[in-house]
Amino acid sequence: MIRTILALTTSDAGSRTAVWRQLVDIVAQSGGGMDPELRAIAHARISELRNYVPVNQRRQAAASFADRIDRPDVVAIFATDEAAVAAPVVARAVLSDDEWLGLLHSFPPTSRAILRNRRDLGAAVERALASFGPSDFALPDRSVTTSEPAAAAPDASSQIRNLVARIEAFRSLAPAESPAIDGPNALPDAFEFETGIEGEIGYIQGVAREALIGLSVAEIAPPLEAGVDGQAAGAFRRRAPFRDARLEVAGDGAAGGHWLISAIPIFNPRTGRFVGYHGNGRRPRRDERAGGDQRSLSGTALPADSLRQLVHELRTPLNAIQGFAEMIDRQILGPVAITYRTRAKYIVDESRRLLEVVDDLDTAARLDSDRFEHDDGISDASAVLDRIVQEQGHTLEARGVVLNANIEREAMVGVGEPVLDRMARRLLASVLGLLAEGDTASLSLIAGAGGVTLSISRPPVLAGREEQALLDPAYGPEGEWPDAPILGLGFTLRLIANLARETGSRLTLGDDVFQLVLPPANALKEQSGNQG
């Protein structure tokens, strides 16, 4: 049969698809009885034809074989394909530990990420997967010689643009349970799904189709209605993975009720265009049903120690990128054209901005694990605000935004300057980054009996948003906001709120104004006196 199929003409798309599918069918169902030489020839032809077969055909083939594959060479056919094709096979194929270990090096990072979500693997496989962590998320190695310093600028810029995507990819790897369905009459507690480019679910396996087909992951569901929460909708806007987002399914049927869904974005390998999501859903555990949001400050179930490991992995390449760009900008390696110096300066600025993001992630991990340490002290809040407003002035003027500031002099507070600077800087950036051309913002710093209050007007784009929505870790308003917080407005506001609690301060999100109430300096003195 194989020799007959190999002899078929493949002059058009239809014949190529047919031959590929027939060869995959035979290889997948033949077990170990096939002649090794013929098997190798079949694999070579499958690999040769793969890129000519539409991805939906390859995905359908993978889904049809996923529960029956028990040979590593068949797993490799699909696992080395793009994520939408690899996912069903990698998630459900049954292999021995030695067979998985023999395949891992040939898997792309996306397939290893899918395999990490399984909970039926041996300890040796889990250790091997863990060892791939740094390499799966490391920046690509780009050799640059000192004779061509300017050529590094576009590459470094491209690396910087990918860092945020890498952060979200790492966050998506939090541990999850793999629920099972026991007994013929048991209610389903897991399903797989795919969405189209607009975010609507168009493919369902594991639960009744009519319950979920047409639901969208792109929009936050109104209260008490079917749909997803802000985490999934926010991730969709960024084309980012998401983990354990909440989904409410209407009705009293087997699929109705609460679900937690996780998914990864899929991109066309030829054009790079986003084509939808592939993911799965599970019923929440008991501890995930009660007591509100169980996610950490960063909006993920990723353990704090793992988040701090991510921070360490990101700092090294970022510092290297920034350092080399500064060398180009200062012409340390030799004369550089003004065009490349301009690009290098842009890279330096973006590197500094992303290093602030890395610091925020580190702070979030420390807060989540009760390891955040800071020095108590007395600071002049007016001096800190003056410095931040002055730094923001040029950017705001270029964007056509007006900031009216009323800063009371010598407003002393009982918060150390480093933490005060971070809270104030992040709060102002969160608001000012969401202002459009022609908008006006009002800023005030006023001392009172209960402390010093930093107030800034709420940007128009956030009008009508409730506090719960604003504090969702994945929340970010619709539209293009290049100066908005990279990790999302919700993450930044939660970070500020947690820092405020650590320092005896308080963040309130009013209908018209955001306020950060800081303890007066004498409060710290009184506290020190009482302790003495």
Side-chain angles (χ1 to χ4, degrees):
M1 289 178 62
I2 287 182
R3 295 188 186 280
T4 301
I5 295 170
L6 290 174
L8 294 175
T9 301
T10 54
S11 57
D12 57 78
S15 61
R16 295 188 191 105
T17 298
V19 169
W20 181 88
R21 181 59 191 256
Q22 290 175 34
L23 288 174
V24 170
D25 284 348
I26 293 175
V27 170
Q29 298 182 56
S30 63
M34 183 184 296
D35 178 73
E37 182 178 354
L38 275 180
R39 195 176 196 92
I41 295 173
H43 274 288
R45 187 60 170 155
I46 289 170
S47 177
E48 179 184 343
L49 293 174
R50 182 172 73 181
N51 290 336
Y52 295 99
V53 178
V55 67
N56 65 315
Q57 295 285 341
R58 306 202 306 270
R59 180 188 57 75
Q60 290 174 7
S64 67
F65 291 122
D67 294 315
R68 295 177 287 150
I69 294 178
D70 59 1
R71 288 187 56 87
D73 63 321
V74 182
V75 171
I77 292 174
F78 300 103
T80 54
D81 208 325
E82 59 183 271
V85 180
V89 170
V90 176
R92 303 204 296 271
V94 178
L95 299 179
S96 68
D97 283 3
D98 288 341
E99 289 171 332
W100 282 121
L101 291 173
L103 288 175
L104 291 183
H105 285 280
S106 66
F107 281 11
T110 51
S111 290
R112 287 196 289 266
I114 296 167
L115 193 61
R116 284 183 177 95
N117 287 317
R118 293 185 56 156
R119 291 296 173 265
D120 59 346
L121 302 176
V125 180
E126 292 183 350
R127 286 195 300 270
L129 285 169
S131 71
F132 282 97
S135 62
D136 280 355
F137 298 100
L139 289 170
D141 180 22
R142 299 187 183 274
S143 302
V144 182
T145 62
T146 56
S147 61
E148 296 179 322
D155 285 344
S157 178
S158 175
Q159 293 181 33
I160 288 176
R161 287 195 300 270
N162 288 331
L163 274 175
V164 174
R166 293 177 183 276
I167 290 172
E168 295 296 342
F170 193 90
R171 288 174 64 188
S172 74
L173 300 183
E177 293 185 349
S178 296
I181 299 176
D182 298 322
N185 299 318
L187 293 176
D189 58 2
F191 65 86
E192 294 184 6
F193 70 94
E194 290 183 3
T195 79
I197 192 172
E198 300 297 330
E200 290 189 353
I201 296 177
Y203 168 82
I204 283 290
Q205 184 174 2
V207 296
R209 289 172 48 85
E210 60 272 12
L212 284 91
I213 290 294
L215 284 180
S216 175
V217 302
E219 298 179 0
I220 303 174
L224 305 179
E225 294 188 18
V228 299
D229 65 2
Q231 184 189 358
F236 178 86
R237 286 192 292 270
R238 302 191 303 274
R239 305 296 192 256
F242 57 87
R243 184 90 208 163
D244 290 345
R246 297 189 181 275
L247 167 67
E248 183 73 21
V249 178
D252 298 325
H258 304 292
W259 295 89
L260 296 180
I261 58 172
S262 305
I264 57 174
I266 308 301
F267 300 90
N268 187 306
R270 296 183 181 178
T271 65
R273 292 184 177 180
F274 171 74
V275 296
Y277 274 88
H278 179 92
N280 57 71
R282 64 179 177 86
R283 292 291 188 183
R285 301 186 302 268
R286 182 182 299 275
D287 62 299
E288 293 171 319
R289 293 176 182 270
D293 193 350
Q294 300 292 323
R295 294 193 300 268
S296 65
L297 164 63
S298 56
T300 174
L302 189 69
D305 288 342
S306 297
L307 192 58
R308 294 186 65 189
Q309 178 188 349
L310 164 66
V311 168
H312 175 74
E313 295 295 335
L314 288 174
R315 272 205 180 103
T316 300
L318 262 178
N319 284 325
I321 292 169
Q322 180 180 344
F324 194 81
E326 287 178 343
M327 293 173 69
I328 295 174
D329 183 35
R330 298 177 185 177
Q331 304 186 78
I332 293 176
L333 301 178
V336 179
I338 186 63
T339 301
Y340 288 105
R341 290 184 62 192
T342 301
R343 293 184 184 179
K345 179 64 167 61
Y346 167 79
I347 291 170
V348 170
D349 292 341
E350 289 298 294
S351 297
R352 288 172 179 165
R353 188 180 180 209
L354 286 171
L355 279 170
E356 290 182 353
V357 171
V358 170
D359 288 339
D360 284 350
L361 285 171
D362 188 33
T363 301
R366 293 177 187 273
L367 288 166
D368 280 343
S369 58
D370 294 325
R371 297 178 184 175
F372 180 71
E373 298 178 357
H374 63 95
D375 295 329
D376 292 327
I378 296 175
S379 307
D380 185 352
S382 56
V384 172
L385 262 292
D386 280 337
R387 181 172 65 243
I388 297 174
V389 170
Q390 185 176 0
E391 292 172 0
Q392 292 279 347
H394 179 72
T395 302
L396 294 176
E397 182 180 353
R399 290 171 48 204
V401 173
V402 177
L403 176 62
N404 296 322
N406 176 26
I407 301 176
E408 189 171 301
R409 297 299 97 192
E410 297 184 359
M412 307 303 292
V413 297
V415 180
E417 185 168 322
V419 180
L420 172 60
D421 183 273
R422 172 170 288 192
M423 289 192 295
R425 191 178 296 276
R426 298 299 187 268
L427 181 59
L428 265 64
S430 299
V431 173
L432 300 179
L434 298 177
L435 295 177
E437 184 177 358
D439 285 345
T440 299
S442 298
L443 168 70
S444 67
L445 184 73
I446 301 174
V452 176
T453 302
L454 166 61
S455 302
I456 185 164
S457 55
R458 179 191 280 232
V461 71
L462 300 181
R465 287 287 181 184
E466 297 181 357
E467 180 175 330
Q468 183 178 1
L470 293 177
L471 291 175
D472 189 294
Y475 176 69
E478 294 284 356
E480 294 295 327
W481 306 100
D483 293 328
I486 293 178
L487 291 177
L489 177 65
F491 174 92
T492 303
L493 291 178
R494 285 164 68 105
L495 178 65
I496 298 169
N498 279 268
L499 286 171
R501 280 193 290 270
E502 289 286 331
T503 59
S505 308
R506 183 176 72 257
L507 175 69
T508 60
L509 307 178
D511 293 337
D512 302 314
V513 66
F514 293 168
Q515 291 186 327
L516 182 63
V517 182
L518 306 161
N522 58 8
L524 182 62
K525 293 179 180 178
E526 292 173 2
Q527 182 182 1
S528 300
N530 293 334
Q531 290 175 350

